[in-house]
Structure formats: C-alpha cells, structure tokens
Amino acid sequence: MTPEHVAASYDQIAHQWLDLSTYGFAQIERAVAFVKRKGTALDVGCGTGRLMGLLDKHGFRTDGLDVSPAMIALARDRHPNARLFHADICGWEQPQPYDLIVAWDSVWHVPLDRQGPVLTKLCRGLAAGGVLVFSTGGTDGPDERQNTFMGPPMYHATLGIPRTLRILAAAGCVCRHLEYDQHPEDHVYFIAQKPANANPTTGGPVRLRAVQPGDLPRMFEMQLDPESNRMAVTNPRSREAFDAHWTKALADPVNTTRAVLFDGEMVGYISCFPMDGEDHVGYWIDRAFWGMRIAGRALHLLLGEVTKRPLVATAATSNGASLRVLQKCGFVVERVHLAPASDRYPECEEAVLVLR
C-alpha cells in the first residue's frame, strides 16, 4: 500500500479517533522529561489532534502533520489555532527544528523502503538537545504486513530493532529508552535525543574496506531504491544482471572496490574502474544516510588510496548533490553532453568531470 492508500483508509474511520483516550500518554510523558527546552513540538501522524492537547499542557507550541485530509479537518476543529500540515512525511520538509517530535503509531505506516530516510529526517529535524519519541514493531529484522483489523485495509512495516538503533546512532541521536510497552505484543517505543553539542552532518567515522561476498545482498538492496535511481538517473539492475556485474568486477584486480562504513555499518560502496580507456570513479550511498557528507569523505579516502591520475566521473546535470561532492574533491566539469539511453541509464544530460 502507498501512503495515499493509507490516507484513504484513515479517511473512512477518522471519526472513530475523536475519543479522549490517554493511550500513549505515559510513554510521551517519559519522553517529555528528557526535553530541556519546551519550545516547539511536532506531532507526526497527529490524527484528530488527541496528543496535541497533552503537549500543549506541557507548554509546547505544537504543529501537527497527517496524510489523511479527514483527520486534519477534525484536528483543525479541535485545535483551531494550531499550525497543521496535510502532507506525507516521506516528502514533507520541516519548516524549522523542533524540541520534541512525536510519531506515535504513525511512521510504521510508511513503506518499508522509506522508513530509514524518514527516521533520519526526523532525527536531523531535532533542535540541539531535542527528543524524538516514536513507536514501531519490536521485531529482530525488517517486516511488513497488511490487514483489515481496523476495518479498511491497512499497512504496517518495521525496520526491526537492530536496524532502527543503527539509524538513530548514524543520524547523531542517542537512544535514551527502549521498551516493549505492550508485551507480549511486538509493540515497542523509542526515545532518542540529539545531544546539545551534536553536529550529525560532520560527525561519525567513515572508513573503507574491501567489499566482501557477504556485502552483495546489501548492495543489491541499496541499488533498488527508486528515489536513489531517480536522483542518479539510473535503472536498477535485476538480480541476474547485478550478480553477473559484480562477480566479474570483484574478480578483476584492476578494479578497486570498497565498502563504505559509517560508525562500523556498511552504508554504501565506492569504486575505481577502467572504462573506454579511462579510469572512472563511482559511488552509491544508502538513501537513509544522505545529507551526512558521507559520500565526500568516502571519495576523499578513495582518492588517497588510488593515486593514478587523471580520474573521470560522470553525473547527470540534474544530480546537484553528486556534482557538489565531486567538485569539492577537486573534479572539474570538462564537458556536458546528451548521454544516450541504455539498459543501465535513461537518456539524460550528463556532466563529465576530471581530476588531474
């Protein structure tokens, strides 16, 4: 199910959420206790505004966000002076940093392949010392499912506890509390906090190591991400094409291929390889870790290991992020041309950059 489908399902049952239940209040109270400055808060998946009243009582000026127009309409009736946003959290850009972000029983409706980026976005959207509290499924690994327990069809997914903890840490947050609050049900909630002196866009060690056979499933998963392919203007490889490409690439000693590690976790890969008589470089970073300067630091490390020059890199002219990474590492645009379509690449305007 897409977020639009989830919104349509909630539209059908919005009136059922007008109750004054205190479900989740105790957990959110625990999170509020970690907040040093009670300024602005954001309720992600605010529904009819049930939790916004609780946050208001603690002195927060609370914004609400929900993908369901029916829910937002009811929240506006309940909180006429609040700033409310009808939007999908996957594409919504926060207008400001928040001292507290609440995502109670909401982000688990986000498609599984987008949950990492959304969680990273929420962490990065915290003010210094800010707190994020959210609930999810308490599984050991990723899981997703659909059901009709609420009436209309509904979708739920979870990254699993280990992956969730890694993303929180990579985004510069510290887990303050983790609890199975409805045991034996697999319902958990996290409280995470951005340290007062944190700067997650520059912190965290990046290092490279040789790609190992066990990395290939992770690499295959990363290159399937639709938004990453849209940004890079690429077509994902099928399993057969992926295995054939990397079996050949890793067996050729001329290629230098490295896994990119951030805080010990593999978050991408980077390589130098010959093509059309030139030595090229290329990289791929998991979308959950975009915006943290990992690509630039990984490229800097690779350039210290691979000393031959010149090196060539290509990027779609629409991919401003990659162009900035390459140029900051000394690559210079030498020409721009229309690259024809192939199995791997759609037709696009492409910049050719060279490091001499």
Side-chain angles (χ1 to χ4, degrees):
M1 291 179 67
T2 66
E4 292 76 16
H5 293 140
V6 171
S9 290
Y10 269 113
D11 282 346
Q12 297 179 49
I13 57 174
H15 63 281
Q16 297 180 19
W17 300 89
L18 283 171
D19 65 279
L20 299 177
S21 166
T22 59
Y23 166 63
F25 278 29
Q27 295 90 326
I28 292 167
E29 296 271 9
R30 183 187 290 271
V32 168
F34 286 96
V35 181
K36 303 300 182 185
R37 190 180 76 89
K38 296 178 175 61
T40 57
L42 172 67
D43 185 1
V44 178
C46 65
T48 63
R50 182 179 65 91
L51 299 178
M52 294 174 67
L54 171 66
L55 300 178
D56 290 347
K57 290 178 181 178
H58 281 282
F60 290 98
R61 185 189 67 75
T62 305
D63 293 346
L65 171 77
D66 205 283
V67 72
S68 163
M71 288 287 201
I72 284 291
L74 292 173
R76 187 166 286 113
D77 290 340
R78 180 175 276 176
H79 301 283
N81 297 320
R83 186 164 61 165
L84 299 170
F85 300 93
H86 171 223
D88 173 10
I89 185 60
C90 297
W92 183 69
E93 294 299 327
Q94 293 180 198
Q96 65 182 84
Y98 289 97
D99 299 298
L100 174 67
I101 297 178
V102 176
W104 190 258
D105 286 2
S106 60
V107 292
W108 62 9
H109 294 306
V110 170
L112 184 58
D113 66 342
R114 302 184 200 174
Q115 287 199 11
V118 165
L119 189 54
T120 299
K121 175 193 291 188
L122 295 180
C123 289
R124 294 179 62 199
L126 291 169
V131 171
L132 168 66
V133 54
F134 64 99
S135 54
T136 187
T139 58
D140 292 342
D143 189 22
E144 57 185 339
R145 59 191 63 181
Q146 295 187 41
N147 58 57
T148 56
F149 294 155
M150 299 170 66
M154 199 63 70
Y155 170 89
H156 296 84
T158 178
L159 294 166
I161 290 176
R163 173 73 170 151
T164 299
L165 287 170
R166 290 197 296 269
I167 289 175
L168 292 174
C173 286
V174 178
C175 182
R176 301 298 189 197
H177 189 83
L178 163 62
E179 181 181 343
Y180 280 84
D181 61 326
Q182 298 177 25
H183 188 72
E185 294 183 19
D186 283 338
H187 183 280
V188 300
Y189 79 99
F190 291 80
I191 300 174
Q193 185 170 32
K194 179 184 288 188
N197 60 352
N199 185 359
T201 62
T202 58
V206 173
R207 65 183 182 89
L208 306 181
R209 64 159 170 77
V211 168
Q212 302 165 355
D215 296 328
L216 294 180
R218 176 85 173 100
M219 291 166 61
F220 176 74
E221 174 191 346
M222 283 189 280
Q223 63 93 44
L224 291 177
D225 177 61
E227 179 61 17
S228 298
N229 281 283
R230 186 196 65 78
M231 177 72 77
V233 192
T234 52
N235 297 317
R237 290 187 171 101
S238 66
R239 171 63 76 177
E240 182 180 9
F242 178 90
D243 290 344
H245 170 80
W246 283 107
T247 297
K248 181 179 179 181
L250 295 178
D252 191 339
V254 176
N255 299 324
T256 301
T257 306
R258 299 290 181 259
V260 179
L261 307 184
F262 180 76
D263 279 345
E265 178 184 0
M266 182 185 180
V267 298
Y269 48 95
I270 190 167
S271 58
C272 178
F273 52 92
M275 185 173 67
D276 299 331
E278 299 173 316
D279 291 306
H280 283 245
V281 296
Y283 63 86
W284 196 278
I285 302 297
D286 185 341
R287 182 158 59 102
F289 297 89
W290 287 3
M292 302 173 72
R293 301 184 183 176
I294 292 173
R297 290 145 70 192
L299 181 56
H300 178 77
L301 291 173
L302 183 73
L303 295 177
E305 180 179 349
V306 177
T307 57
K308 55 189 173 183
R309 303 289 186 270
L311 293 176
V312 178
T314 60
T317 56
S318 60
N319 190 352
S322 279
L323 289 172
R324 287 191 295 273
V325 167
L326 292 164
Q327 290 173 321
K328 286 181 179 180
C329 286
F331 285 79
V332 176
V333 177
E334 294 210 346
R335 67 181 186 276
V336 174
H337 67 112
L338 184 65
S342 66
D343 290 343
R344 178 60 171 155
Y345 302 100
E347 180 182 85
C348 72
E349 185 180 74
E350 181 180 74
V352 179
L353 302 93
V354 181
L355 175 67
R356 298 192 182 278

